[in-house]
Amino acid sequence: MENKELQQWIEQISLEHFGVPFTHEAIFNRRLTTTGGRYMLKSHRIEINPHQLEVYGKDEVEKIIKHELCHYHLHIRGRGYQHRDPEFKALLQKVGGSRFCQSLPGDKGRKPLPYRYKLVCKSCGMEYLRKRKIDPKRYRCGRCSGKLTIQTI
């Protein structure tokens, strides 16, 4: 699907489900990795992740488009357009948009925190995760004031 077809599709969904035309630009953005789409506040442009279309098909992308159109139409009208606003939640439910997009296969998700060291209290067993190595002789347990030992994870 090309950007022209996406533009026509979004204009059609806007008229059918919102009753108001979409008069700005809509494009595919291949650089989107963790999100299905986004609405740009200043330019009013909608960008859609083409990988969602390739993996999940038109039905899932239509829900993403409805989500972005909720942002668009509420922002244009000066209403609550953010995810936490009740107006946004109500409109999203009314038109049948998705609250979250499906994660793409092969997506690694969030990186694990890079803890390399673990301090363990000799008395109570309390564990403290650390990124940097410290001298355990200079510190005590915050719970029981016991001595600490250091381990590499």
Side-chain angles (χ1 to χ4, degrees):
M1 180 180 284
E2 298 293 323
N3 285 334
K4 284 183 179 181
E5 295 171 83
L6 177 68
Q7 180 77 33
Q8 292 170 350
W9 190 21
I10 290 178
E11 289 172 1
Q12 177 190 355
I13 291 172
S14 181
L15 285 173
E16 284 179 18
H17 295 278
F18 296 87
V20 182
F22 175 73
T23 57
H24 291 85
E25 184 184 21
I27 63 166
F28 282 115
N29 185 347
R30 288 200 161 278
R31 292 184 315 254
L32 297 177
T33 56
T34 59
T35 183
R38 66 180 174 183
Y39 166 63
M40 311 301 279
L41 292 174
K42 290 183 180 177
S43 65
H44 304 293
R45 180 167 70 181
I46 291 179
E47 297 179 351
I48 301 296
N49 185 345
H51 304 296
Q52 290 284 334
L53 182 63
E54 293 164 7
V55 175
Y56 296 109
K58 284 192 166 191
D59 291 336
E60 192 63 33
V61 174
E62 185 171 336
K63 292 177 186 176
I64 294 169
I65 290 170
K66 288 177 183 177
H67 178 104
E68 301 309 327
L69 283 172
C70 286
H71 287 300
Y72 171 80
H73 289 298
L74 290 170
H75 182 250
I76 294 289
R77 292 184 199 144
R79 313 299 287 278
Y81 62 88
Q82 295 178 339
H83 291 124
R84 67 175 179 253
D85 294 324
E87 291 172 320
F88 176 81
K89 291 178 182 177
L91 183 60
L92 189 64
Q93 189 172 21
K94 179 183 170 190
V95 298
S98 63
R99 187 96 163 95
F100 305 102
C101 70
Q102 301 282 332
S103 60
L104 293 168
D107 226 5
K108 297 199 176 26
R110 295 183 185 267
K111 293 180 182 175
L113 292 175
Y115 296 124
R116 296 178 55 202
Y117 302 99
K118 180 167 54 170
L119 296 169
V120 181
C121 176
K122 290 181 179 179
S123 301
C124 68
M126 179 73 180
E127 297 180 351
Y128 301 94
L129 297 175
R130 300 281 303 183
K131 293 180 183 180
R132 295 183 184 170
K133 190 173 185 176
I134 63 165
D135 182 11
K137 294 175 190 166
R138 298 185 64 203
Y139 298 93
R140 293 289 190 147
C141 177
R143 183 189 288 171
C144 71
S145 298
K147 290 186 177 184
L148 300 173
T149 59
I150 192 163
Q151 301 172 355
T152 305
I153 298 177

